[in-house]
Short mmCIF file of all heavy atoms in Angstrom, two decimals:
data_model
loop_
_atom_site.label_atom_id
_atom_site.label_comp_id
_atom_site.label_asym_id
_atom_site.label_seq_id
_atom_site.Cartn_x
_atom_site.Cartn_y
_atom_site.Cartn_z
N PRO A 1 15.37 169.78 134.75
CA PRO A 1 15.56 168.89 135.92
C PRO A 1 15.69 167.42 135.52
O PRO A 1 15.06 166.97 134.56
CB PRO A 1 14.28 169.10 136.75
CG PRO A 1 13.26 169.57 135.77
CD PRO A 1 14.02 170.37 134.74
N THR A 2 16.58 166.73 136.25
CA THR A 2 16.78 165.30 135.96
C THR A 2 15.51 164.53 136.29
O THR A 2 14.87 164.73 137.31
CB THR A 2 17.92 164.74 136.83
OG1 THR A 2 19.09 165.53 136.59
CG2 THR A 2 18.21 163.27 136.50
N GLN A 3 15.19 163.61 135.35
CA GLN A 3 13.95 162.84 135.55
C GLN A 3 14.12 161.89 136.71
O GLN A 3 15.09 161.16 136.79
CB GLN A 3 13.64 162.06 134.26
CG GLN A 3 12.30 161.31 134.37
CD GLN A 3 11.96 160.62 133.06
OE1 GLN A 3 12.73 160.72 132.10
NE2 GLN A 3 10.84 159.95 133.03
N GLN A 4 13.24 161.95 137.63
CA GLN A 4 13.27 161.08 138.81
C GLN A 4 12.04 160.18 138.80
O GLN A 4 10.93 160.63 138.91
CB GLN A 4 13.27 161.91 140.09
CG GLN A 4 14.50 162.81 140.17
CD GLN A 4 14.46 163.65 141.43
OE1 GLN A 4 13.51 163.57 142.17
NE2 GLN A 4 15.52 164.43 141.64
N ASN A 5 12.33 158.90 138.64
CA ASN A 5 11.23 157.95 138.56
C ASN A 5 10.71 157.55 139.94
O ASN A 5 9.60 157.07 140.07
CB ASN A 5 11.69 156.67 137.85
CG ASN A 5 12.00 156.96 136.38
OD1 ASN A 5 11.36 157.82 135.79
ND2 ASN A 5 12.96 156.23 135.80
N THR A 6 11.59 157.74 140.94
CA THR A 6 11.22 157.18 142.23
C THR A 6 10.85 158.21 143.25
O THR A 6 10.51 157.86 144.37
CB THR A 6 12.39 156.35 142.78
OG1 THR A 6 13.51 157.19 142.98
CG2 THR A 6 12.75 155.21 141.83
N ARG A 7 10.90 159.53 142.97
CA ARG A 7 10.68 160.51 144.01
C ARG A 7 9.94 161.75 143.46
O ARG A 7 10.29 162.29 142.42
CB ARG A 7 12.02 160.94 144.59
CG ARG A 7 11.94 161.77 145.84
CD ARG A 7 13.34 162.06 146.33
NE ARG A 7 14.04 160.85 146.68
CZ ARG A 7 14.02 160.30 147.89
NH1 ARG A 7 13.36 160.89 148.85
NH2 ARG A 7 14.69 159.20 148.14
N ILE A 8 8.92 162.17 144.13
CA ILE A 8 8.22 163.42 143.82
C ILE A 8 8.22 164.23 145.08
O ILE A 8 7.83 163.75 146.14
CB ILE A 8 6.77 163.17 143.36
CG1 ILE A 8 6.77 162.44 142.02
CG2 ILE A 8 6.02 164.49 143.26
CD1 ILE A 8 5.39 162.09 141.55
N ILE A 9 8.71 165.48 144.99
CA ILE A 9 8.77 166.35 146.15
C ILE A 9 7.85 167.52 145.93
O ILE A 9 7.94 168.21 144.92
CB ILE A 9 10.21 166.86 146.38
CG1 ILE A 9 11.15 165.67 146.60
CG2 ILE A 9 10.26 167.80 147.57
CD1 ILE A 9 12.59 166.06 146.71
N SER A 10 6.94 167.73 146.82
CA SER A 10 5.99 168.82 146.71
C SER A 10 6.04 169.64 147.97
O SER A 10 6.22 169.10 149.05
CB SER A 10 4.57 168.28 146.50
OG SER A 10 4.55 167.46 145.34
N ASP A 11 5.91 170.92 147.77
CA ASP A 11 5.90 171.82 148.92
C ASP A 11 4.48 172.30 149.16
O ASP A 11 3.81 172.75 148.25
CB ASP A 11 6.81 173.03 148.67
CG ASP A 11 8.27 172.63 148.58
OD1 ASP A 11 8.63 171.59 149.18
OD2 ASP A 11 9.02 173.34 147.93
N TYR A 12 4.07 172.13 150.45
CA TYR A 12 2.75 172.64 150.83
C TYR A 12 2.96 173.62 151.96
O TYR A 12 3.10 173.24 153.10
CB TYR A 12 1.84 171.50 151.29
CG TYR A 12 1.45 170.56 150.18
CD1 TYR A 12 2.19 169.41 149.92
CD2 TYR A 12 0.35 170.84 149.38
CE1 TYR A 12 1.83 168.56 148.89
CE2 TYR A 12 -0.02 169.99 148.36
CZ TYR A 12 0.72 168.85 148.13
OH TYR A 12 0.37 167.99 147.12
N GLY A 13 3.03 174.93 151.54
CA GLY A 13 3.25 175.95 152.57
C GLY A 13 4.62 175.78 153.19
O GLY A 13 5.64 175.75 152.52
N THR A 14 4.63 175.54 154.50
CA THR A 14 5.90 175.37 155.22
C THR A 14 6.23 173.91 155.46
O THR A 14 7.26 173.59 156.01
CB THR A 14 5.80 176.06 156.60
OG1 THR A 14 4.72 175.50 157.31
CG2 THR A 14 5.58 177.54 156.42
N ASP A 15 5.35 172.95 155.08
CA ASP A 15 5.59 171.51 155.29
C ASP A 15 6.15 170.89 154.04
O ASP A 15 5.72 171.20 152.93
CB ASP A 15 4.29 170.79 155.67
CG ASP A 15 3.75 171.31 156.99
OD1 ASP A 15 4.58 171.71 157.82
OD2 ASP A 15 2.51 171.30 157.15
N ASN A 16 7.12 170.01 154.20
CA ASN A 16 7.67 169.26 153.07
C ASN A 16 7.00 167.91 153.00
O ASN A 16 6.90 167.20 153.99
CB ASN A 16 9.18 169.07 153.24
CG ASN A 16 9.91 170.38 153.10
OD1 ASN A 16 9.48 171.24 152.34
ND2 ASN A 16 11.01 170.55 153.84
N PHE A 17 6.56 167.53 151.86
CA PHE A 17 5.88 166.26 151.66
C PHE A 17 6.73 165.42 150.72
O PHE A 17 7.11 165.88 149.66
CB PHE A 17 4.49 166.49 151.05
CG PHE A 17 3.80 165.21 150.65
CD1 PHE A 17 3.17 164.43 151.58
CD2 PHE A 17 3.80 164.81 149.32
CE1 PHE A 17 2.53 163.26 151.22
CE2 PHE A 17 3.14 163.65 148.96
CZ PHE A 17 2.51 162.87 149.90
N GLU A 18 7.06 164.18 151.15
CA GLU A 18 7.90 163.30 150.33
C GLU A 18 7.20 161.97 150.16
O GLU A 18 6.77 161.37 151.12
CB GLU A 18 9.26 163.12 151.01
CG GLU A 18 10.21 162.24 150.18
CD GLU A 18 11.59 162.20 150.80
OE1 GLU A 18 12.36 163.13 150.58
OE2 GLU A 18 11.87 161.24 151.54
N GLU A 19 7.10 161.51 148.94
CA GLU A 19 6.42 160.25 148.64
C GLU A 19 7.33 159.40 147.80
O GLU A 19 7.94 159.89 146.84
CB GLU A 19 5.13 160.51 147.88
CG GLU A 19 4.38 159.23 147.53
CD GLU A 19 3.13 159.54 146.72
OE1 GLU A 19 2.89 160.72 146.48
OE2 GLU A 19 2.45 158.60 146.33
N ILE A 20 7.48 158.13 148.18
CA ILE A 20 8.32 157.19 147.44
C ILE A 20 7.43 156.42 146.47
O ILE A 20 6.45 155.82 146.87
CB ILE A 20 9.02 156.20 148.38
CG1 ILE A 20 9.82 156.96 149.43
CG2 ILE A 20 9.93 155.25 147.62
CD1 ILE A 20 10.91 157.82 148.87
N LEU A 21 7.79 156.47 145.19
CA LEU A 21 7.05 155.72 144.19
C LEU A 21 7.90 154.55 143.75
O LEU A 21 8.98 154.74 143.20
CB LEU A 21 6.73 156.61 142.98
CG LEU A 21 5.79 157.79 143.27
CD1 LEU A 21 5.58 158.56 141.96
CD2 LEU A 21 4.48 157.32 143.82
N PRO A 22 7.45 153.33 143.96
CA PRO A 22 8.25 152.16 143.57
C PRO A 22 8.35 152.02 142.07
O PRO A 22 7.42 152.32 141.34
CB PRO A 22 7.48 150.98 144.20
CG PRO A 22 6.09 151.47 144.29
CD PRO A 22 6.17 152.95 144.55
N THR A 23 9.51 151.54 141.65
CA THR A 23 9.67 151.26 140.22
C THR A 23 8.98 149.97 139.88
O THR A 23 8.60 149.19 140.74
CB THR A 23 11.17 151.14 139.88
OG1 THR A 23 11.70 150.06 140.64
CG2 THR A 23 11.92 152.42 140.23
N GLN A 24 8.88 149.68 138.61
CA GLN A 24 8.18 148.47 138.17
C GLN A 24 8.92 147.23 138.62
O GLN A 24 8.32 146.24 139.04
CB GLN A 24 8.04 148.47 136.64
CG GLN A 24 7.19 147.32 136.10
CD GLN A 24 5.75 147.39 136.61
OE1 GLN A 24 5.20 148.47 136.75
NE2 GLN A 24 5.19 146.23 136.91
N ASP A 25 10.30 147.28 138.57
CA ASP A 25 11.07 146.12 139.02
C ASP A 25 10.84 145.85 140.48
O ASP A 25 10.72 144.71 140.91
CB ASP A 25 12.57 146.36 138.76
CG ASP A 25 12.88 146.39 137.28
OD1 ASP A 25 12.07 145.84 136.51
OD2 ASP A 25 13.94 146.95 136.91
N TYR A 26 10.82 146.91 141.25
CA TYR A 26 10.61 146.76 142.69
C TYR A 26 9.23 146.17 142.96
O TYR A 26 9.06 145.31 143.83
CB TYR A 26 10.76 148.12 143.37
CG TYR A 26 10.58 148.03 144.86
CD1 TYR A 26 11.62 147.64 145.68
CD2 TYR A 26 9.35 148.33 145.44
CE1 TYR A 26 11.47 147.57 147.05
CE2 TYR A 26 9.18 148.24 146.81
CZ TYR A 26 10.25 147.87 147.61
OH TYR A 26 10.08 147.79 148.96
N LYS A 27 8.24 146.64 142.18
CA LYS A 27 6.88 146.09 142.34
C LYS A 27 6.86 144.60 142.06
O LYS A 27 6.24 143.82 142.79
CB LYS A 27 5.91 146.80 141.40
CG LYS A 27 5.59 148.22 141.80
CD LYS A 27 4.59 148.81 140.83
CE LYS A 27 4.21 150.24 141.23
NZ LYS A 27 3.26 150.83 140.27
N ASP A 28 7.56 144.19 141.00
CA ASP A 28 7.57 142.77 140.65
C ASP A 28 8.23 141.94 141.76
O ASP A 28 7.74 140.87 142.14
CB ASP A 28 8.32 142.56 139.34
CG ASP A 28 7.56 143.20 138.17
OD1 ASP A 28 6.34 143.45 138.34
OD2 ASP A 28 8.18 143.45 137.13
N GLN A 29 9.38 142.46 142.27
CA GLN A 29 10.06 141.75 143.34
C GLN A 29 9.18 141.66 144.58
O GLN A 29 9.13 140.65 145.27
CB GLN A 29 11.38 142.45 143.69
CG GLN A 29 12.40 142.36 142.56
CD GLN A 29 13.64 143.20 142.88
OE1 GLN A 29 13.73 143.76 143.96
NE2 GLN A 29 14.56 143.26 141.93
N TYR A 30 8.51 142.74 144.88
CA TYR A 30 7.64 142.77 146.06
C TYR A 30 6.52 141.75 145.95
O TYR A 30 6.24 141.00 146.87
CB TYR A 30 7.07 144.18 146.22
CG TYR A 30 6.02 144.28 147.29
CD1 TYR A 30 6.39 144.31 148.63
CD2 TYR A 30 4.66 144.33 146.96
CE1 TYR A 30 5.43 144.40 149.62
CE2 TYR A 30 3.71 144.41 147.94
CZ TYR A 30 4.10 144.45 149.27
OH TYR A 30 3.15 144.54 150.23
N LEU A 31 5.90 141.73 144.72
CA LEU A 31 4.80 140.79 144.52
C LEU A 31 5.29 139.36 144.59
O LEU A 31 4.64 138.48 145.17
CB LEU A 31 4.10 141.07 143.19
CG LEU A 31 3.32 142.39 143.12
CD1 LEU A 31 2.80 142.61 141.71
CD2 LEU A 31 2.18 142.38 144.12
N ASP A 32 6.48 139.08 143.99
CA ASP A 32 7.03 137.73 144.04
C ASP A 32 7.32 137.32 145.48
O ASP A 32 7.01 136.22 145.92
CB ASP A 32 8.32 137.64 143.22
CG ASP A 32 8.02 137.75 141.73
OD1 ASP A 32 6.85 137.53 141.36
OD2 ASP A 32 8.95 138.03 140.96
N GLY A 33 7.91 138.24 146.26
CA GLY A 33 8.21 137.95 147.67
C GLY A 33 6.95 137.70 148.47
O GLY A 33 6.88 136.83 149.33
N LYS A 34 5.93 138.52 148.19
CA LYS A 34 4.67 138.35 148.90
C LYS A 34 4.06 136.99 148.61
O LYS A 34 3.57 136.29 149.50
CB LYS A 34 3.71 139.46 148.50
CG LYS A 34 2.40 139.44 149.26
CD LYS A 34 1.53 140.60 148.85
CE LYS A 34 0.21 140.58 149.60
NZ LYS A 34 -0.67 141.68 149.19
N ASN A 35 4.12 136.58 147.34
CA ASN A 35 3.56 135.29 146.98
C ASN A 35 4.33 134.15 147.65
O ASN A 35 3.77 133.16 148.10
CB ASN A 35 3.60 135.10 145.46
CG ASN A 35 2.63 136.05 144.76
OD1 ASN A 35 1.64 136.47 145.36
ND2 ASN A 35 2.90 136.39 143.50
N ILE A 36 5.68 134.32 147.72
CA ILE A 36 6.50 133.28 148.38
C ILE A 36 6.13 133.17 149.84
O ILE A 36 5.98 132.08 150.39
CB ILE A 36 7.99 133.62 148.20
CG1 ILE A 36 8.39 133.46 146.73
CG2 ILE A 36 8.85 132.72 149.10
CD1 ILE A 36 9.78 133.95 146.42
N LYS A 37 5.99 134.33 150.52
CA LYS A 37 5.64 134.32 151.94
C LYS A 37 4.28 133.68 152.17
O LYS A 37 4.07 132.96 153.12
CB LYS A 37 5.64 135.74 152.49
CG LYS A 37 7.04 136.31 152.64
CD LYS A 37 6.98 137.70 153.23
CE LYS A 37 8.39 138.27 153.41
NZ LYS A 37 8.36 139.62 153.98
#
C-alpha cells in the first residue's frame, strides 16, 4: 500500500472512522498563523 502521511482509515465494525493527521509543514504554517492572529 502507498504510504499515506496524512490519512489513517480504520474500520470499527460497521462504522468508518477517518482521522486527518497534519503534516509537519501544515503544523508550522498553522502555528505561524496562530501567532500572527
Side-chain angles (χ1 to χ4, degrees):
T2 304
Q3 184 176 0
Q4 299 178 357
N5 293 328
T6 62
R7 191 178 297 270
I8 294 177
I9 300 175
S10 303
D11 294 334
Y12 291 93
T14 58
D15 297 329
N16 292 327
F17 172 80
E18 182 174 278
E19 180 183 359
I20 304 299
L21 296 180
T23 60
Q24 186 63 37
D25 292 339
Y26 181 82
K27 288 182 179 179
D28 294 340
Q29 293 174 4
Y30 172 77
L31 292 174
D32 290 342
K34 184 177 179 182
N35 291 335
I36 291 172
K37 288 182 179 180

